[in-house]
Amino acid sequence: MPFPNSITAPIQALTIHALARLRARRSVLRELADHIEDRRDSLVHEQGLPPGEAYAAAVRAFGNPRAVATQLERIRNQGSWLDVALGAIPSLIVSFLFATHRWYEREWIIGAALLAMVISSLGVFLFSGRAWVYSWLSYALFPVLLVGVVSLATTGYAAWSVLEGSHVARDPASWVLSIGLGLAGVGVMITLLVWLSKKDWIHGMLVVLPITLLAVALLVFDQGAYDTITQAGTHNAILFGAFAFVVAATIRMGDRLLKIGVLATALPLAFLIISNGMDIGIRIAVTVLVSLPALLLIIAPLVVSIHDAEADERFEPDAQRQ
Amino acid sequence: MSERELLKGSTDPLLLALLSERPMYGYEILREVERRSDGYFNMKEGTLYPALHRLERDGLVEGLWRNAPSGQYRRYYAISKRGLQRLEQRRREWFNFSRAVNLIIADSAS
């Protein structure tokens, strides 16, 4: 049975708006508009054409600007093979750690986290526009988020103990430290994700997804869903190995809609791998957790498009001026 | 092979060669290609911009907004270190290829 128009019409309108924003790369539009302007000026000054006629001739000479803009959008969205390889490496390293059962050895974990921090820091400063940087950044930020969440959780537990009148084995300095660490860790994550979503929300999702998967994997393990530690390692090795291919495909694809499709599909698939053997309560919790990034996938471009709509309007008439 | 097909296969080295001399913006490149080839090459925008953006994506050129001598703000393209290496490689390929073709065509003509 088809959905009534009252439901589909607003969704369609929002989707069209979001897609329009995704295609409206102002830099590209501006460049193409400048080109037409340059040709118009040449025709006016070198051939003596009136400005209106010169503009029409410049537009005609350009061909189909929409086709050119679409082609450019695809090229700009598509990562090179080097980007693809670099983007897949961090997830493959995590997969390797799980597969070789080194994921519970402190030196390996610290080494991998440090590697992710160094490469993502270099990447942010030297190649900030490249998608692969965000794949590394995600694993670099996971310890930051973990420290933040654990600090806040232990602070909450300690505060609860105080309220209940239980014994509190904490001095004032540790209270300040744990609250500070907690707020700093979570604050850094939120600030970064808001910034990334505004800049390019697909990059934002490349940061969010691995963090979510790692958090879920640890949560599931903590809940005792696996019979043996080897089983947990194998399970997660497959999960992160598959995720490396998802990242690679996302970086290589030129079409943003396909990227959205791949990222959104990755979530339920990852959940299917993770949730095997879990009880129903955990499955619901995991579903909610895994659904959050999917929800962001849908909401973020709309938020960005609404935020930037005014700026686009300011520019677009400029591109069509005579 | 038509002239258009010949140009299509030569677009990247032509652009890299021009940009190895100095940074240029899109329209300037089109004019320069036309002028330097005595009007033989009439490169279209639909060929130029995708090629420039592809070269940028692959790290062979760098795009940068800056003021043109006219005072207008334009997106300039400058060749990168990797771009220079690629140009050198394409130059060698082109010289070897054209020399071999010339040897055969010239021989057959004489």
Side-chain angles (χ1 to χ4, degrees):
Chain A
M1 191 178 72
F3 287 110
N5 267 350
S6 57
I7 295 174
T8 56
I11 295 172
Q12 202 176 11
L14 285 172
T15 311
I16 288 166
H17 187 54
L19 294 180
R21 166 66 188 94
L22 294 176
R23 287 179 185 145
R25 289 297 184 97
R26 272 168 285 166
S27 173
V28 172
L29 280 176
R30 165 96 194 253
E31 186 177 20
L32 302 185
D34 286 347
H35 184 97
I36 291 172
E37 196 178 85
D38 286 336
R39 191 182 283 278
R40 181 201 63 184
D41 291 347
S42 292
L43 292 170
V44 169
H45 296 123
E46 292 167 17
Q47 294 184 23
L49 288 181
E53 204 179 309
Y55 182 79
V59 171
R60 273 198 308 276
F62 195 95
N64 184 349
R66 187 178 291 273
V68 177
T70 306
Q71 214 178 338
L72 295 185
E73 181 70 12
R74 286 184 67 85
I75 291 167
R76 288 168 74 90
N77 281 330
Q78 189 181 44
S80 65
W81 287 111
L82 183 64
D83 293 330
V84 169
L86 289 170
I89 285 173
S91 296
L92 288 175
I93 290 175
V94 174
S95 176
F96 169 79
L97 292 178
F98 277 117
T100 55
H101 310 294
R102 294 192 164 103
W103 59 283
Y104 42 81
E105 291 176 17
R106 193 184 302 159
E107 53 272 32
W108 280 91
I109 296 299
I110 293 172
L114 284 176
L115 181 70
M117 284 176 185
V118 170
I119 291 184
S120 57
S121 302
L122 288 174
V124 165
F125 285 111
L126 300 176
F127 314 96
S128 62
R130 299 285 184 180
W132 64 264
V133 174
Y134 302 95
S135 182
W136 283 90
L137 189 61
S138 178
Y139 292 102
L141 286 172
F142 184 73
V144 177
L145 182 70
L146 195 64
V147 167
V149 170
V150 169
S151 297
L152 285 182
T154 53
T155 307
Y157 179 74
W160 180 252
S161 302
V162 171
L163 289 174
E164 282 214 314
S166 325
H167 174 71
V168 183
R170 280 191 152 193
D171 55 40
S174 70
W175 278 98
V176 172
L177 186 68
S178 60
I179 292 173
L181 276 177
L183 292 178
V186 175
V188 164
M189 282 304 297
I190 291 173
T191 309
L192 193 83
L193 289 177
V194 168
W195 176 74
L196 276 176
S197 296
K198 282 180 181 173
K199 196 167 177 279
D200 186 335
W201 61 276
I202 286 182
H203 291 170
M205 292 317 299
L206 285 175
V207 174
V208 170
L209 287 179
I211 287 177
T212 310
L213 290 183
L214 266 181
V216 171
L218 293 180
L219 181 72
V220 169
F221 178 74
D222 189 53
Q223 294 297 316
Y226 299 106
D227 294 330
T228 62
I229 203 163
T230 308
Q231 190 191 20
T234 309
H235 226 161
N236 288 316
I238 294 168
L239 175 71
F240 282 92
F243 186 67
F245 283 102
V246 170
V247 172
T250 305
I251 292 174
R252 186 59 190 169
M253 283 170 176
D255 192 310
R256 288 182 75 94
L257 274 178
L258 276 178
K259 286 178 192 269
I260 296 167
V262 168
L263 288 174
T265 316
L267 291 165
L269 281 177
F271 172 66
L272 279 176
I273 296 171
I274 293 176
S275 67
N276 187 28
M278 284 164 49
D279 71 54
I280 190 71
I282 299 173
R283 278 187 165 203
I284 292 169
V286 172
T287 307
V288 172
L289 200 58
V290 171
S291 299
L292 285 176
L295 198 65
L296 274 176
L297 272 172
I298 297 162
I299 293 171
L302 300 183
V303 173
V304 174
S305 63
I306 290 164
H307 182 76
D308 285 351
E310 201 184 322
D312 285 344
E313 278 166 18
R314 274 203 305 275
F315 171 68
E316 277 163 10
D318 196 39
Q320 294 161 10
R321 71 172 174 262
Q322 299 228 351
Chain B
M1 192 184 281
S2 70
E3 285 168 7
R4 192 174 171 166
E5 283 168 328
L6 274 171
L7 175 60
K8 201 176 172 186
S10 318
T11 305
D12 288 5
L14 282 179
L15 294 176
L16 290 173
L18 282 179
L19 296 175
S20 69
E21 294 171 10
R22 62 185 163 89
M24 292 184 207
Y25 57 90
Y27 187 67
E28 194 182 2
I29 295 172
L30 276 195
R31 297 287 298 255
E32 200 62 13
V33 168
E34 205 175 329
R35 188 183 70 78
R36 301 265 290 265
S37 65
D38 282 338
Y40 183 82
F41 286 133
N42 181 19
M43 195 181 273
K44 297 289 180 197
E45 288 83 347
T47 305
L48 173 72
Y49 284 101
L52 283 173
H53 283 246
R54 201 179 50 251
L55 291 172
E56 188 183 11
R57 181 197 67 198
D58 295 340
L60 302 176
V61 302
E62 288 158 10
L64 185 71
W65 285 97
R66 70 180 206 202
N67 281 320
S70 61
Q72 290 161 316
Y73 210 45
R74 292 291 179 261
R75 192 158 203 267
Y76 275 82
Y77 292 90
I79 195 163
S80 67
K81 201 174 167 185
R82 274 182 64 198
L84 283 170
Q85 290 166 351
R86 177 68 61 86
L87 174 62
E88 213 38 57
Q89 179 196 336
R90 296 299 299 264
R91 264 197 187 120
R92 277 199 304 273
E93 286 170 7
W94 174 253
F95 285 136
N96 291 336
F97 175 78
S98 57
R99 183 175 165 272
V101 170
N102 277 334
L103 282 172
I104 294 168
I105 290 179
D107 281 356
S108 68
S110 61

